[in-house]
Amino acid sequence: MMKTRFYSVLVLSSIGIFVLSAAAINNSAISNSNKSTGLSDTVRQEPFVAPPGADIIKSPIGTSPEIIGKGEELYSLYCFACHGDTGHGDGPAGGGMNVKPANFHDPKFSKQKEGTIFWKLTNGKGNMPPFKEILKDDQRWQLVAYLKELSKKP
C-alpha cells in the first residue's frame, strides 16, 4: 500500500514538473517572439480599405455648420470613447484594444474622400462597429462632415 502511494506521488510529481516546464518554455517563446516583432501590445491588421467606387460617392446633405454640429453631437455619443475627444485615437476605451483606433488627424485619414469614410462608418471592421443599423444615412453623413472638419485641426 505504501509502495503504491509512493509511486503515485512520484508519477504525479513528475507529470506536474513536466507540465510546469512546458508552460515556462511556451511563455518564454511567446515573450521572445513579441520582443523580436515589437507586437507585444498591438496586433497587425490589414488596412481598412473601402471597395473601388466608394470614393466617388458624395454627401447628399452638404457640410453646413449645422450639419457639422450635429455630426459633433453624434461623435460625442458614438465615437469619442475610442477615438478620443480630439480624434487622435486616444479615447479611454481605445487604449485597451489590440488594434488602436484611427487618428483622424493622420494624413492617411484626412486624405480619404467622404464616400470612403461613409462606407467605413456604414460597414465597420474589427473593433469598429458597423453603424448602418444604428445610424440613419443622414446621421452617418453628418458624422463624415464632422470628421472631415476635425481632421483639419491640429
Side-chain angles (χ1 to χ4, degrees):
M1 176 90 162
M2 283 181 81
K3 207 175 198 183
T4 306
R5 180 182 274 168
F6 172 77
Y7 286 117
S8 296
V9 169
L10 183 64
V11 169
L12 290 174
S13 297
S14 298
I15 292 171
I17 290 170
F18 175 76
V19 169
L20 290 174
S21 297
I25 291 168
N26 188 37
N27 284 341
S28 176
I30 290 170
S31 177
N32 288 338
S33 70
N34 285 341
K35 287 178 187 172
S36 66
T37 62
L39 295 177
S40 60
D41 62 347
T42 60
V43 173
R44 290 185 190 256
Q45 176 176 304
E46 292 298 317
F48 194 1
V49 179
D55 61 343
I56 62 172
I57 301 169
K58 300 287 183 197
S59 172
I61 64 170
T63 59
S64 71
E66 180 184 353
I67 288 170
I68 293 170
K70 288 179 180 180
E72 183 175 13
E73 291 174 15
L74 291 166
Y75 181 90
S76 66
L77 288 171
Y78 296 100
C79 310
F80 100 94
C82 296
H83 296 281
D85 286 332
T86 58
H88 285 92
D90 57 356
M97 296 179 179
N98 287 334
V99 177
K100 300 301 179 199
N103 175 351
F104 298 127
H105 303 279
D106 185 321
K108 290 178 188 175
F109 177 83
S110 59
K111 291 178 182 176
Q112 293 181 88
K113 304 285 186 187
E114 60 187 10
T116 298
I117 299 168
F118 181 83
W119 185 90
K120 290 179 178 184
L121 281 171
T122 301
N123 295 287
K125 179 180 180 180
N127 292 326
M128 170 73 181
F131 283 100
K132 66 181 163 197
E133 302 296 325
I134 300 167
L135 300 174
K136 297 176 184 173
D137 285 358
D138 284 357
Q139 291 174 310
R140 293 194 311 274
W141 282 116
Q142 291 165 353
L143 258 174
V144 169
Y146 176 69
L147 293 175
K148 291 299 278 181
E149 191 65 28
L150 181 63
S151 72
K152 296 175 186 175
K153 298 176 182 175

